[in-house]
Amino acid sequence: MMPTLLVATRKGLFAVQGDGANWNIASHYFAGEPVTQVLADRRDGSWYAALRLGHFGVKLHKSSDQGQSWQEMAAPAFPVKPTEGPWADDPTPWSVDLIWSLAAGGAHERGTLWAGCLPAGLFKSEDGGASWTLNQPLWEEPRRRAWLGGGYDHAGIHSILVDPRDPLHITLGISCGGVWQTRDGGASWSLTASGMKADYLPPENADDGNAQDPHCLVQCAAQPDMLWVQHHCGIYRSTNGGKQWQAIAAPAPSGFGFAVACDPHNPQRAWFVPAQADVCRIPVAGRMVVTRTDDGGASFQVLSEGLPQSQAYHLVYRHGLDVTRDGQTLALASTTGGLWLSADAGLGWQCLSHDLPPVAAVRFTD
Amino acid sequence: MVTVEFAASLRHHVECAPQSVAPGTLRDVLEGALRAAPALAHYVFDDQRAVRKHVAVFVNGQIVPERVHLTQWLGAGDRVLVIQALTGG
């Protein structure tokens, strides 16, 4: 059975179905509402959609029947802000503005979910989204005070990687707060951004791990010690589970971008979607391309067949690229409403739409 | 009794008929009305139980600018209307 592609957009959630070569938009849920993230839970087949209602806050909906019906669940929410103690003067709002990332817990932790939010609170559910608890150790980490906003006013958690070997080992990407890991299920956290450099800071601060801006963080399922990061200042790779990060030489046409996907089986292969630069967030020369490395970042191919090669101004956000579990089918979607699929690991692309609302995330259901 | 009505833009998400609740502070009155539709509370209040910045509360046709404490006293016959502020696109 072919997977379904879920597309979270500014004006609803779309389900795209296909037979391998031909894909079509089959369903539209939450029409008109901003959907910021989506999760297809492989453990029980549930779909989760995070909404960011302009007036009424963040909401979370769940479907147990592949979108035929949806139930509103509890949304992650901060506890009452203390009126005394070290966090009484916290200038960060204790109110969830955006559910930026959703992840399933370990394969045997049925019902366990993680939500990364803006501001940068990490929440856990152990009952399939019926209730959520703030991870206090990370929220009360003193170095959180130094985290910076990036594209938003406050820092946020956009990447949550649950180690397939050990669900107590979780790696987070925080913009702008570096990479953090726990090996005890969230009881304690370590900053593991060594090797990254932030060229937007004064030179004497560029190595500060706590100020890094990873745009997106992914992990090879077959070799979870291999991680890839599209960082604000380029591409990084780690071969030792994130203990140390190595800068990858910027590939043509650019090392700047937001999205990254890696092959679930081949730790040497990853895909990126370049934009010109942080001060010019459009494809270089109006040509939309995907770059792919098959040798761990030593070299890259520029893939463009089927993508617009003239006067194209699509930007792909950090969750706008995904790959199926076999590593062969990719989906790519932009903030200007373009959606493309590739059936051959990125070599050629088929356009499904030029006309979608701005896309926040694409996720294959299987 | 105090009547509390939620605008259609809110009832679009969570249905709640007009409520009649005992006099008290505006906080008491709103919390009392939301007992009829607990799921609506997260639409009206943020995580800190303050009125969301894009929600507007009117008492007898007068907007209530204060969003946190809601100590205004409401008596029998007062009317509360909860609507969405005009923002978005």
Side-chain angles (χ1 to χ4, degrees):
Chain A
M1 189 177 83
M2 287 300 295
T4 296
L5 177 70
L6 299 176
V7 183
T9 81
R10 177 72 178 76
K11 300 289 181 183
L13 175 68
F14 296 85
V16 179
Q17 293 177 331
D19 59 8
N22 299 298
W23 293 77
N24 293 291
I25 296 171
S27 304
H28 186 197
Y29 313 107
F30 312 108
E33 307 287 11
V35 182
T36 62
Q37 191 51 273
V38 64
L39 169 69
D41 188 341
R42 288 170 173 148
R43 298 166 303 181
D44 62 6
S46 297
W47 294 358
Y48 296 87
L51 275 58
R52 187 195 198 191
L53 304 183
H55 298 85
F56 306 129
V58 299
K59 309 294 172 221
L60 184 70
H61 293 258
K62 177 177 183 177
S63 176
S64 300
D65 52 15
Q66 285 75 54
Q68 292 182 56
S69 63
W70 292 86
Q71 177 184 3
E72 183 170 349
M73 310 299 286
F78 284 96
V80 174
K81 184 180 177 181
T83 55
E84 54 190 31
W87 294 101
D89 65 347
D90 184 8
T92 301
W94 286 42
S95 187
V96 175
D97 180 42
L98 171 70
I99 298 174
W100 213 2
S101 47
L102 286 169
H108 303 294
E109 294 182 315
R110 194 167 166 134
T112 294
L113 305 169
W114 296 92
C117 296
L118 186 94
L122 178 70
F123 294 82
K124 182 181 184 182
S125 175
E126 295 181 295
D127 50 18
S131 64
W132 294 87
T133 303
L134 174 68
N135 182 274
Q136 297 277 3
L138 185 68
W139 187 243
E140 295 173 359
E141 159 62 47
R143 284 170 286 184
R144 178 172 73 77
R145 289 184 184 277
W147 292 353
L148 306 166
Y152 294 99
D153 290 344
H154 301 283
I157 300 171
H158 51 66
S159 298
I160 304 171
L161 307 178
V162 178
D163 191 329
R165 300 164 300 190
D166 175 11
L168 300 181
H169 176 209
I170 296 166
T171 305
L172 304 179
I174 303 177
S175 291
C176 301
V179 177
W180 288 78
Q181 296 196 40
T182 178
R183 291 189 171 272
D184 52 19
S188 63
W189 294 88
S190 299
L191 175 61
T192 61
S194 180
M196 293 181 176
K197 285 190 182 298
D199 62 15
Y200 45 82
L201 292 174
E204 58 270 32
N205 302 113
D207 293 329
D208 180 0
N210 202 42
Q212 300 300 316
D213 183 13
H215 281 175
C216 188
L217 181 63
V218 293
Q219 181 173 37
C220 178
Q223 293 196 31
D225 285 337
M226 177 72 87
L227 297 107
W228 295 88
V229 167
Q230 174 65 65
H231 183 281
H232 188 95
C233 304
I235 295 168
Y236 288 85
R237 185 185 73 146
S238 175
T239 59
N240 61 3
K243 294 184 181 73
Q244 184 71 27
W245 297 89
Q246 296 92 38
I248 301 294
S254 170
F256 180 81
F258 291 90
V260 52
C262 64
D263 192 298
H265 306 288
N266 178 359
Q268 303 301 315
R269 174 176 281 185
W271 297 264
F272 299 84
V273 188
Q276 186 167 323
D278 63 348
V279 295
C280 187
R281 299 175 180 203
I282 58 175
V284 178
R287 291 180 61 220
M288 194 170 177
V289 301
V290 171
T291 57
R292 189 181 88 188
T293 178
D294 293 336
D295 53 14
S299 66
F300 285 80
Q301 294 181 70
V302 178
L303 309 172
S304 62
E305 184 183 327
L307 297 173
Q309 296 301 292
S310 175
Q311 301 296 334
Y313 299 100
H314 298 274
L315 183 70
V316 176
Y317 271 172
R318 49 183 54 72
H319 304 117
L321 177 69
D322 196 25
V323 60
T324 50
R325 280 211 274 188
D326 63 4
Q328 288 302 301
T329 302
L330 286 104
L332 174 68
S334 75
T335 60
T336 32
L339 172 63
W340 297 267
L341 278 110
S342 171
D344 52 10
L347 296 177
W349 296 85
Q350 172 193 357
C351 180
L352 264 69
S353 177
H354 301 286
D355 304 312
L356 289 174
V359 177
V362 292
R363 288 292 178 265
F364 286 107
T365 59
D366 201 20
Chain B
M1 301 296 277
V2 180
T3 57
V4 182
E5 188 172 350
F6 298 94
S9 56
L10 280 153
R11 288 185 279 111
H12 165 70
H13 297 285
V14 180
E15 184 53 62
C16 185
Q19 298 296 301
S20 182
V21 298
T25 66
L26 179 54
R27 164 74 65 189
D28 295 336
V29 166
L30 286 173
E31 297 282 6
L34 286 165
R35 285 191 198 104
L40 190 58
H42 193 50
Y43 287 74
V44 175
F45 297 124
D46 67 16
D47 302 28
Q48 300 303 310
R49 215 68 177 180
V51 174
R52 291 189 178 279
K53 69 178 180 180
H54 295 302
V55 170
V57 176
F58 285 78
V59 174
N60 300 328
Q62 297 291 313
I63 195 167
V64 179
E66 200 282 317
R67 296 177 172 276
V68 177
H69 303 294
L70 307 175
T71 54
Q72 179 177 349
W73 183 265
L74 303 186
D78 283 337
R79 293 171 291 107
V80 177
L81 176 62
V82 184
I83 69 170
Q84 74 176 53
L86 290 177
T87 62

XYZ file of all heavy atoms in Angstrom, chain A residues 271-310:
298
model
N 19.307 15.056 1.667
C 18.802 16.037 0.712
C 18.628 17.397 1.406
O 18.242 17.462 2.593
C 17.433 15.635 0.174
C 17.370 14.369 -0.605
C 17.416 14.222 -1.960
C 17.207 13.033 -0.087
N 17.282 12.895 -2.323
C 17.161 12.146 -1.197
C 17.106 12.492 1.203
C 17.008 10.763 -1.047
C 16.960 11.128 1.356
C 16.920 10.281 0.245
N 18.874 18.452 0.665
C 18.712 19.823 1.175
C 18.009 20.659 0.110
O 18.026 20.313 -1.075
C 20.078 20.441 1.494
C 20.848 19.684 2.541
C 21.616 18.569 2.191
C 20.786 20.056 3.876
C 22.304 17.854 3.151
C 21.480 19.343 4.840
C 22.244 18.240 4.475
N 17.417 21.768 0.532
C 16.738 22.664 -0.411
C 17.327 24.058 -0.230
O 16.981 24.770 0.711
C 15.217 22.693 -0.171
C 14.519 23.475 -1.291
C 14.658 21.281 -0.071
N 18.251 24.441 -1.085
C 18.978 25.686 -0.855
C 18.160 26.929 -1.197
O 17.361 26.949 -2.128
C 20.186 25.569 -1.800
C 19.744 24.633 -2.876
C 18.795 23.674 -2.232
N 18.418 27.964 -0.413
C 17.967 29.321 -0.743
C 19.224 30.186 -0.826
O 20.310 29.770 -0.405
C 17.006 29.845 0.303
N 19.069 31.394 -1.346
C 20.261 32.181 -1.647
C 21.076 32.511 -0.398
O 22.278 32.264 -0.340
C 19.866 33.470 -2.381
C 21.060 34.273 -2.859
C 20.648 35.349 -3.852
O 19.755 35.136 -4.663
N 21.294 36.493 -3.775
N 20.423 33.090 0.598
C 21.117 33.510 1.818
C 20.077 33.943 2.839
O 18.897 34.125 2.500
C 22.061 34.679 1.512
N 20.535 34.138 4.088
C 19.561 34.528 5.106
C 18.956 35.902 4.815
O 17.821 36.166 5.200
C 20.160 34.469 6.512
C 21.310 35.421 6.720
O 21.815 35.971 5.737
O 21.709 35.609 7.883
N 19.715 36.744 4.118
C 19.183 38.069 3.796
C 18.417 38.066 2.473
O 17.913 39.111 2.056
C 20.310 39.120 3.730
C 20.934 39.302 5.091
C 21.351 38.725 2.689
N 18.323 36.896 1.818
C 17.638 36.822 0.522
C 17.065 35.410 0.363
O 17.697 34.539 -0.235
C 18.600 37.149 -0.620
S 17.779 37.287 -2.226
N 15.886 35.215 0.905
C 15.348 33.865 1.059
C 14.520 33.463 -0.153
O 13.314 33.293 -0.080
C 14.569 33.783 2.365
C 15.489 34.069 3.536
C 14.801 34.123 4.863
N 15.784 34.414 5.913
C 15.625 34.124 7.178
N 14.514 33.561 7.599
N 16.563 34.432 8.056
N 15.204 33.313 -1.277
C 14.605 32.854 -2.521
C 15.599 31.902 -3.178
O 16.788 31.911 -2.850
C 14.293 34.032 -3.477
C 15.566 34.822 -3.794
C 13.234 34.952 -2.867
C 15.369 35.919 -4.821
N 15.136 31.082 -4.112
C 16.094 30.211 -4.813
C 17.146 31.041 -5.553
O 16.848 32.119 -6.078
C 15.211 29.438 -5.793
C 13.839 29.467 -5.181
C 13.743 30.803 -4.501
N 18.357 30.524 -5.594
C 19.440 31.230 -6.272
C 19.092 31.377 -7.754
O 18.749 30.390 -8.428
C 20.767 30.458 -6.097
C 21.886 31.172 -6.847
C 21.110 30.314 -4.619
N 19.141 32.611 -8.236
C 18.879 32.925 -9.652
C 17.488 32.496 -10.111
O 17.275 32.264 -11.303
C 19.952 32.300 -10.540
N 16.550 32.377 -9.172
C 15.189 32.008 -9.560
C 15.044 30.572 -10.027
O 14.036 30.212 -10.629
N 16.058 29.736 -9.740
C 16.010 28.320 -10.132
C 15.846 27.474 -8.887
O 16.687 27.508 -7.993
C 17.307 27.903 -10.831
C 17.541 28.509 -12.199
C 18.865 27.989 -12.754
N 18.828 26.524 -12.908
C 19.855 25.728 -12.617
N 20.979 26.220 -12.138
N 19.750 24.430 -12.785
N 14.784 26.690 -8.865
C 14.548 25.857 -7.698
C 15.243 24.510 -7.874
O 15.045 23.833 -8.887
C 13.048 25.650 -7.517
C 12.717 25.083 -6.169
S 10.966 25.122 -5.882
C 10.942 24.317 -4.293
N 16.054 24.145 -6.880
C 16.775 22.876 -6.959
C 16.783 22.188 -5.596
O 16.523 22.805 -4.564
C 18.245 23.072 -7.422
C 18.301 23.746 -8.785
C 19.049 23.862 -6.405
N 17.084 20.919 -5.638
C 17.362 20.128 -4.436
C 18.798 19.651 -4.555
O 19.239 19.301 -5.653
C 16.402 18.925 -4.334
C 16.809 17.969 -3.227
C 14.969 19.409 -4.111
N 19.545 19.676 -3.462
C 20.892 19.115 -3.499
C 20.904 17.804 -2.727
O 20.201 17.661 -1.717
C 21.930 20.083 -2.915
O 21.572 20.425 -1.569
C 22.005 21.354 -3.741
N 21.674 16.861 -3.224
C 21.750 15.546 -2.582
C 23.199 15.116 -2.483
O 23.960 15.231 -3.448
C 20.971 14.504 -3.391
C 20.837 13.167 -2.668
C 20.079 12.161 -3.514
N 20.973 11.419 -4.411
C 20.556 10.587 -5.367
N 19.273 10.407 -5.574
N 21.427 9.946 -6.125
N 23.551 14.635 -1.320
C 24.864 14.021 -1.163
C 24.688 12.524 -0.968
O 23.751 12.074 -0.299
C 25.643 14.611 0.029
O 26.899 13.929 0.145
C 24.877 14.468 1.338
N 25.575 11.761 -1.585
C 25.575 10.307 -1.421
C 26.856 9.816 -0.750
O 27.076 8.612 -0.644
C 25.443 9.620 -2.797
C 24.083 9.863 -3.424
O 23.117 10.140 -2.678
O 23.986 9.798 -4.664
N 27.687 10.770 -0.337
C 28.976 10.387 0.244
C 29.254 11.156 1.533
O 30.373 11.592 1.787
C 30.096 10.598 -0.778
C 30.094 12.019 -1.345
O 29.408 12.893 -0.768
O 30.777 12.247 -2.358
N 28.203 11.324 2.310
C 28.386 11.929 3.632
C 28.733 13.395 3.608
O 29.280 13.910 4.582
N 28.434 14.058 2.506
C 28.667 15.500 2.436
C 29.939 15.888 1.716
O 30.231 17.070 1.580
N 30.692 14.889 1.228
C 31.929 15.212 0.489
C 31.604 15.868 -0.849
O 32.345 16.739 -1.318
C 32.759 13.945 0.278
N 30.515 15.452 -1.481
C 30.100 16.051 -2.746
C 28.579 16.045 -2.823
O 27.908 15.307 -2.083
C 30.697 15.272 -3.932
O 30.140 13.966 -3.984
N 28.070 16.877 -3.739
C 26.618 17.014 -3.876
C 26.234 17.003 -5.354
O 26.977 17.511 -6.201
C 26.141 18.337 -3.269
C 26.113 18.353 -1.768
C 27.282 18.569 -1.042
C 24.928 18.158 -1.081
C 27.263 18.588 0.344
C 24.902 18.174 0.305
C 26.074 18.389 1.020
N 25.060 16.468 -5.641
C 24.419 16.638 -6.948
C 23.374 17.734 -6.834
O 22.712 17.854 -5.798
C 23.685 15.371 -7.380
C 24.531 14.157 -7.649
C 23.638 12.998 -8.090
O 23.081 13.023 -9.175
N 23.508 12.003 -7.229
N 23.226 18.506 -7.895
C 22.158 19.493 -7.964
C 21.038 18.893 -8.796
O 21.228 18.589 -9.981
C 22.661 20.809 -8.593
C 21.515 21.813 -8.704
C 23.799 21.391 -7.758
N 19.877 18.687 -8.194
C 18.757 18.004 -8.833
C 17.682 19.025 -9.170
O 17.225 19.762 -8.277
C 18.202 16.924 -7.897
C 19.251 15.958 -7.336
C 18.638 15.059 -6.283
C 19.873 15.136 -8.450
N 17.276 19.053 -10.435
C 16.339 20.104 -10.849
C 15.260 19.620 -11.811
O 14.330 20.379 -12.088
C 17.107 21.248 -11.505
O 17.779 20.786 -12.665
N 15.336 18.393 -12.295
C 14.368 17.942 -13.306
C 12.947 17.983 -12.739
O 12.650 17.346 -11.722
C 14.701 16.521 -13.749
C 13.807 16.012 -14.854
C 14.116 14.569 -15.212
O 15.294 14.178 -15.126
O 13.177 13.829 -15.547
N 12.114 18.749 -13.395
C 10.717 18.866 -12.962
C 10.463 20.020 -12.027
O 9.305 20.331 -11.731
N 11.519 20.667 -11.539
C 11.355 21.831 -10.665
C 11.466 23.102 -11.508
O 12.192 23.129 -12.506
C 12.428 21.829 -9.566
C 12.368 20.634 -8.605
C 13.572 20.645 -7.656
C 11.067 20.648 -7.794
N 10.779 24.173 -11.125
C 10.803 25.387 -11.945
C 12.207 25.993 -11.996
O 12.856 26.166 -10.970
C 9.804 26.315 -11.245
C 9.677 25.774 -9.866
C 9.905 24.312 -9.943
N 12.622 26.303 -13.214
C 14.004 26.751 -13.431
C 14.115 28.193 -13.894
O 15.174 28.644 -14.330
C 14.677 25.832 -14.452
C 14.815 24.398 -13.951
C 15.630 24.326 -12.670
O 16.829 24.595 -12.686
N 14.992 24.004 -11.552
N 13.009 28.918 -13.804
C 13.044 30.319 -14.192
C 11.999 31.087 -13.403
O 10.859 30.630 -13.252
C 12.760 30.449 -15.696
O 12.675 31.819 -16.049
